[in-house]
Amino acid sequence: MSNAAVSEHQPIPRMKSEDRRELILEAATGVFGQYGYYGATTDQIARAAGVSQPYVVRMFGTKERLFIEVIERALVFILRSFRAVLAEGDQDLRARLGSAYVELLRQRGLLLSLMHSFVLGGDPVIGPRARQGFLEVYAFLRDEAGFGPDDANRFLEGGMLLNTLVGLRMSDEFETSDAANEMLCAALPQKLDLLLELGKSQQADA
Amino acid sequence: MSNAAVSEHQPIPRMKSEDRRELILEAATGVFGQYGYYGATTDQIARAAGVSQPYVVRMFGTKERLFIEVIERALVFILRSFRAVLAEGDQDLRARLGSAYVELLRQRGLLLSLMHSFVLGGDPVIGPRARQGFLEVYAFLRDEAGFGPDDANRFLEGGMLLNTLVGLRMSDEFETSDAANEMLCAALPQKLDLLLELGKSQQADA
DNA sequence: GTCTATATGCGGATAGAC
DNA sequence: GTCTATCCGCATATAGAC
C-alpha cells in the first residue's frame, strides 16, 4: 500500500489555496441557499466542504465576508451565463435567458443564496451588496439584452417566482397536490423535469 | 403621587392574555420580517412588544411555534383582505387584488415574514406550513377569484417580485439610482407612493 | 400575567501545533 | 495549508418570585 493510499485514509489533502477556496465557496453556496445567512453555520459549511470549521473562518475572515463572497460569485455566474446566451444570437432572447436562468439551479444553492440576500435588505453590509447585485442584473437586461422596462420587469417577476417555488420546495408536492402540479407547469413552460430531478436529489441528501 | 403614577413608571400593565398575544404577534411579525426566522431573536421581539424575553417564550412555547403563528396569522390577513375585495365586485379584479396586496405592506413585516418562510422550504416544520400557505393563496385565485392557471401565475409572479423589492429595500435607492427608480415604477403601477412612504418610516426606526 | 435570575447549549472566532 | 483545542458571547429556554 502506497503512501498515497494512506494519506487518502487519513486525509490531509493539501491543495492550493485557490482551489480550496472554490471548494468552500461551493459548499457554502449550498448551505446558505438552504438555511440562509443566519441559519447556516460555519460548521455545516466546513463539513460540506470536508474541512475544519476554523479553517473556513480563517480563510474568509468572518461568516459575513464568506456570505458576501458567495453572493458575488453567484452574480458572476448569472451574468456570465446570460452573456453567453446573448453571444449566441438575438432570436427568442427572453425564452433563452429564462432557460439559462433555470439551468443555474444545477449549481446548488446559487439562486437561493441570492434570494436570501434579497430579503435581508435592511442589513447594513448585506443590503447594499444585494441591491447592487439586483441592479446589475436589471442593467444587463436593459442595456445589454435590450429589454424595455416592462419586459425587464416581466422577466424579473418570473425569476422571483421561480426562486420562491424552489425555496419552498414546491416540487415536493408535485405528485400529492393538483394545485402544486398545475402551478409548477404554468411557472416552468419547459424545464419542469429539471426542477423535479433536482428536487429528488436534494431530498436524497437530506 | 398616586399609586397609578408609580405603576406607570414601573409599568406592569396587565392585560388579557389575548390582547398581549396579539401585541406580541405584531411585534414578532415586524422582527421576523426584517431578520428572518433564524436572524430574529426572541429578545428583539420582546423589546419590540415591550415585554420580557422569557414572557414571549412562555406564551408561545418556542420561537419556532411563534414563527408558525406569525405566518399563519399573516395568511389569514391576506385571504381576509382578498375576500373583501372579491365581495366588492368582479370588475378589475386583478388590479384590485394587486392593490390590496400592496396595502398589506402597511402591516410591517407581514409579507416579508411569509417570504422568509418561503425560502425555508427545506425545514421539516416550517416548510410544510409555508407550502400549504402558498397553495392556499393559489387555491383562492383559482377557485374563488376565478383566475385561470396563467393569470394566477402572473399574479403570483408580480407578488413575489414585490416582496423581493421590499425585502431588498430597493426604495432606498429610488433617488440615487435611475435603474432602481425605473424598476420600481414598472413594478408598482400605482401605489409607488405608499412604498416610498413606508420605506422612509422604517429607515427612521432603524 | 409578568418579571428577574439563571442554566445550558451552540456558534463564531482565536491560538497555536504540525 | 490545515488541524485540534478552546474561549467567549449570545440566544433560547427554565425556575420561581411577585
Side-chain angles (χ1 to χ4, degrees), chain B:
Chain B
M1 196 180 269
S2 72
N3 278 336
V6 169
S7 53
E8 269 169 35
H9 182 247
Q10 165 59 35
I12 312 186
R14 285 188 182 228
M15 55 196 300
K16 278 186 312 182
S17 190
E18 282 309 297
D19 295 345
R20 188 62 87 188
R21 206 182 169 76
E22 185 61 18
L23 217 61
I24 294 175
L25 283 171
E26 226 172 279
T29 299
V31 177
F32 279 131
Q34 183 163 185
Y35 299 98
Y37 170 62
Y38 291 110
T41 72
T42 54
D43 190 59
Q44 284 176 303
I45 293 166
R47 277 197 312 260
V51 297
S52 70
Q53 180 270 334
Y55 187 56
V56 170
V57 174
R58 180 63 85 86
M59 177 164 268
F60 293 91
T62 65
K63 178 184 171 181
E64 189 175 63
R65 281 214 274 273
L66 172 56
F67 185 65
I68 298 289
E69 291 215 32
V70 163
I71 68 177
E72 296 195 329
R73 175 174 170 279
L75 207 52
V76 167
F77 274 104
I78 292 182
L79 289 173
R80 178 183 303 161
S81 156
F82 281 4
R83 292 197 171 105
V85 168
L86 209 57
E88 282 165 8
D90 281 13
Q91 306 301 321
D92 266 338
L93 202 48
R94 198 188 180 303
R96 283 164 48 227
L97 285 173
S99 184
Y101 188 76
V102 178
E103 285 289 333
L104 288 167
L105 288 174
R106 293 213 143 91
Q107 303 210 38
R108 186 145 312 171
L110 193 139
L111 298 182
L112 281 180
S113 287
L114 273 174
M115 200 62 184
H116 272 110
S117 81
F118 292 160
V119 281
L120 293 179
D123 184 278
V125 18
I126 297 171
R129 305 294 190 123
R131 283 188 287 279
Q132 184 198 344
F134 200 92
L135 287 170
E136 274 176 46
V137 173
Y138 189 75
F140 167 85
L141 295 172
R142 295 281 284 116
D143 304 338
E144 300 185 48
F147 284 22
D150 284 353
D151 281 340
N153 218 61
R154 285 293 312 273
F155 187 82
L156 293 173
E157 286 179 347
M160 294 308 102
L161 177 57
L162 178 70
N163 288 351
T164 306
L165 292 175
V166 172
L168 268 171
R169 308 228 179 166
M170 194 56 88
S171 60
D172 290 7
E173 310 285 342
F174 185 70
E175 279 150 0
T176 60
S177 156
D178 288 350
N181 186 312
E182 183 185 284
M183 206 168 57
L184 289 169
C185 291
L188 289 97
Q190 285 87 30
K191 302 276 182 188
L192 180 55
D193 47 345
L194 172 58
L195 185 73
L196 295 176
E197 176 198 324
L198 293 172
K200 290 200 176 177
S201 79
Q202 83 189 336
Q203 274 183 291
D205 301 345

Side-chain angles (χ1 to χ4, degrees), chain A residues 157-199:
Chain A
E157 287 179 346
M160 294 308 103
L161 177 58
L162 178 70
N163 287 351
T164 305
L165 292 175
V166 172
L168 268 170
R169 309 229 179 164
M170 193 57 87
S171 60
D172 290 7
E173 310 285 341
F174 185 71
E175 280 150 358
T176 61
S177 156
D178 288 351
N181 186 312
E182 182 185 284
M183 206 168 58
L184 289 169
C185 291
L188 290 96
Q190 286 88 29
K191 302 276 183 188
L192 180 55
D193 48 345
L194 173 57
L195 184 73
L196 295 176
E197 175 198 323
L198 293 172

